[in-house]
Amino acid sequence: MLVLVDDDVEATIAALKAGGVEIITEPQEAPWQPGRTVAEFRDSEGNRMVIGSQ
């Protein structure tokens, strides 16, 4: 699993969703790190990708 870091997870997920990308987990606070936002989606090959705030 690849983890990407982004300053605006919500906006990036919204753009991916608008482009037809499968969103597995909507942006939410990471249970293991309060204050950090994470979301999960699938890339074009079906791999699970995580995007999180810094």
Side-chain angles (χ1 to χ4, degrees):
M1 183 181 311
L2 178 65
V3 178
L4 306 169
V5 178
D6 193 309
D7 291 330
D8 193 346
V9 174
E10 291 87 353
T12 300
I13 290 295
L16 290 171
K17 189 185 292 188
V21 174
E22 177 189 355
I23 306 303
I24 300 168
T25 305
E26 293 289 335
Q28 60 186 308
E29 185 173 71
W32 63 88
Q33 189 175 8
R36 184 173 192 181
T37 302
V38 294
E40 194 173 349
F41 63 96
R42 290 198 189 276
D43 70 7
S44 60
E45 302 298 317
N47 300 302
R48 291 172 58 172
M49 310 284 280
V50 174
I51 184 167
S53 61
Q54 292 190 19

